[in-house]
């Protein structure tokens, strides 16, 4: 029924913009993937819970650049295929192994660091 689909969508949308919930998801993501040697190149910034509210998410600063920043990728001699493989492996493990998927992989959430 369309009405229940819309209601569920609205509920999920507002839950997504609750940064306390987002902080809990980031901590869970970190716990699941921080120790995974198969995707060791994934870094999850620390969440500062004491500075996070429903409207403000405070996380550790990470120096990096967008995956589409060709100039920086070349300057640091980073392997684009390896970066894509890491992203794909991480996503597949989320879905297939842990059942916990970070469903917000936009450019602001994905950075390459100078060390890869």
């Amino acid at each position: 029924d369309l009405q229940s689909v819309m209601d569920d969508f609205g509920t999920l949308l507002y839950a997504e913009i609750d940064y306390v919930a987002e902080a809990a998801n980031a901590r869970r993501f970190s716990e699941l993937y921080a120790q995974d040697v198969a995707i060791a190149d994934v870094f999850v910034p620390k969440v500062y819970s004491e500075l996070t509210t429903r409207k403000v998410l405070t996380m550790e600063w990470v120096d990096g650049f967008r995956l589409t920043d060709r100039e920086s990728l070349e300057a640091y001699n980073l392997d684009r295929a390896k970066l894509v493989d890491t992203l794909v492996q991480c996503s597949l493990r989320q879905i297939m192994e842990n059942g916990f998927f970070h469903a917000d992989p936009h450019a602001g959430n994905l950075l390459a660091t100078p060390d890869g």
Side-chain angles (χ1 to χ4, degrees):
D1 135 38
L2 182 59
Q3 184 61 45
S4 66
V5 170
M6 294 303 290
D7 289 343
D8 287 346
F9 178 75
T11 300
L12 292 172
L13 179 64
Y14 283 106
E16 175 67 21
I17 58 175
D18 177 352
Y19 290 123
V20 172
E22 186 72 13
N25 287 337
R27 281 190 298 278
R28 180 158 184 234
F29 184 91
S30 181
E31 290 166 5
L32 289 171
Y33 302 103
Q35 304 302 319
D36 192 336
V37 281
I39 52 172
D41 292 330
V42 174
F43 176 79
V44 181
K46 178 183 176 188
V47 173
Y48 294 99
S49 298
E50 67 278 5
L51 300 173
T52 295
T53 67
R54 289 190 69 228
K55 296 186 185 267
V56 176
L57 176 61
T58 308
M59 299 178 78
E60 171 184 11
W61 179 262
V62 177
D63 284 320
F65 40 87
R66 292 178 186 228
L67 300 177
T68 56
D69 183 349
R70 198 174 268 166
E71 191 174 292
S72 293
L73 293 172
E74 289 173 4
Y76 289 101
N77 198 31
L78 296 179
D79 182 349
R80 289 183 217 155
K82 183 177 184 248
L83 292 171
V84 170
D85 184 62
T86 299
L87 176 61
V88 169
Q89 289 298 318
C90 185
S91 297
L92 288 175
R93 286 175 182 275
Q94 288 176 61
I95 296 167
M96 306 300 274
E97 291 180 9
N98 295 310
F100 181 78
F101 181 65
H102 186 291
D104 196 16
H106 61 76
N109 285 340
L110 300 170
L111 296 175
T113 58
D115 63 353

